[in-house]
Amino acid sequence: MTEPVTSSSEIFSAWLFNIGALDGLGVLGVIGYVSAYFLLQIGFLKGDDYTFSLVNLVASACILASLSRDFNAYSATVELAWSSISIIGLTRIFLVHRLIRLNEQEAMVIRIAAPGLKKDRARKLLRTGRFESAEPGRALAEEGKAVEHFAILLAGHGLILKGGVEVASLGAGSMVGEMTYATGIPATATVIVDKPSRLFMIEARSLREFLARHSDIALAMELSSASDMRLKLTKTTQSLSEQRAGNGAAT
């Protein structure tokens, strides 16, 4: 006699109907793995966040538990390795949050230059530069010349000159060289400190080389620089309009 052919759907239905608690844990673990990886790829989860490592740890634990009935040494080895890696990741994230500290000036630099960076990434960026004090008269950029440093004005005041004429001013929180540090093209205006100031400085070439190796930090700085440039253009346009209006009234 010919045995009846069992279809794949019938096999799956029979398995689903007879699924036990351990099988359910295995399925839950697979769903956890796939979901975490999918959410990582679409940007919903971050690899350096607690959630991704924790989901992977729970998923591997579920699959290990499911193997207790039908043990497979190879599968168990993979899951143990995955659990260990997840624990290492969680430990690293904990240490980053607990042990890395930014002082007030360092935190201000990151808020201005690359807001949202994790502390370990922020520390990498801070290591590329230095804090300096500047006296009135110091030029941070010269019109027509390549900008040698990317600078952040943490405290103090500066002037923006175009053709020797003041067109705008800078206060605490302003960036200098954000338009040209990535390209090395000449500065479009001169920037001079006119009051005792506190600066954070990064040599432009070193910054370009650093950002080429750290795309996430480069993106954060590009977004912040774009916002700062829009604000400067608005202030400069307003200042020039006021100057023209004043000249018109004088004549």
Side-chain angles (χ1 to χ4, degrees):
M1 293 182 61
T2 304
E3 295 184 1
V5 178
T6 304
S7 66
S8 299
S9 59
E10 290 175 333
I11 294 173
F12 178 76
S13 297
W15 173 82
L16 188 62
F17 181 78
N18 295 304
I19 192 172
L22 293 177
D23 292 322
L25 282 175
V27 172
L28 184 63
V30 172
I31 292 173
Y33 277 142
V34 174
S35 299
Y37 188 63
F38 172 72
L39 294 174
L40 178 70
Q41 295 304 312
I42 65 174
F44 188 81
L45 290 181
K46 302 296 181 183
D48 57 353
D49 192 37
Y50 280 113
T51 305
F52 181 72
S53 295
L54 187 59
V55 170
N56 278 284
L57 178 60
V58 172
S60 62
C62 288
I63 293 178
L64 274 173
S66 72
L67 290 172
S68 62
R69 187 181 66 185
D70 298 314
F71 185 76
N72 182 296
Y74 300 107
S75 297
T77 300
V78 171
E79 296 308 322
L80 284 171
W82 204 258
S83 296
S84 300
I85 293 170
S86 298
I87 292 171
I88 291 172
L90 289 168
T91 302
R92 174 188 168 277
I93 295 169
F94 175 79
L95 292 176
V96 165
H97 283 283
R98 292 290 181 178
L99 299 183
I100 296 181
R101 293 284 187 269
L102 303 180
N103 62 37
E104 185 176 345
Q105 283 192 339
E106 291 171 335
M108 184 177 181
V109 168
I110 299 305
R111 284 197 305 270
I112 296 168
L117 279 186
K118 300 292 184 180
K119 290 180 181 179
D120 56 334
R121 309 300 286 164
R123 179 59 66 194
K124 282 182 177 292
L125 177 60
L126 289 166
R127 288 197 191 105
T128 66
R130 63 186 184 276
F131 292 92
E132 292 185 8
S133 295
E135 296 301 321
R138 178 174 174 179
L140 302 180
E142 295 185 52
E143 187 176 357
K145 295 183 179 181
V147 176
E148 296 182 356
H149 291 84
F150 167 77
I152 297 176
L153 189 63
L154 300 175
H157 193 266
L159 301 176
I160 300 177
L161 309 176
K162 188 78 172 174
V165 178
E166 179 184 339
V167 295
S169 61
L170 299 176
S174 300
M175 291 187 280
V176 178
E178 77 280 8
M179 297 176 65
T180 58
Y181 76 83
T183 61
I185 63 175
T188 57
T190 296
V191 180
I192 295 178
V193 172
D194 67 333
K195 293 181 180 179
S197 301
R198 185 68 174 166
L199 307 169
F200 179 75
M201 311 278 289
I202 307 177
E203 199 270 326
R205 185 176 63 179
S206 298
L207 180 57
R208 287 195 296 271
E209 293 173 353
F210 172 81
L211 295 179
R213 301 190 303 271
H214 301 88
S215 58
D216 58 327
I217 300 178
L219 178 60
M221 288 193 67
E222 286 173 8
L223 294 174
S224 183
S225 295
S227 177
D228 188 73
M229 283 189 284
R230 285 195 297 270
L231 181 60
K232 281 182 180 175
L233 288 172
T234 300
K235 288 183 177 179
T236 301
T237 301
Q238 182 180 357
S239 177
L240 290 172
S241 298
E242 291 174 353
Q243 288 180 18
R244 291 193 186 101
N247 292 335
T251 56

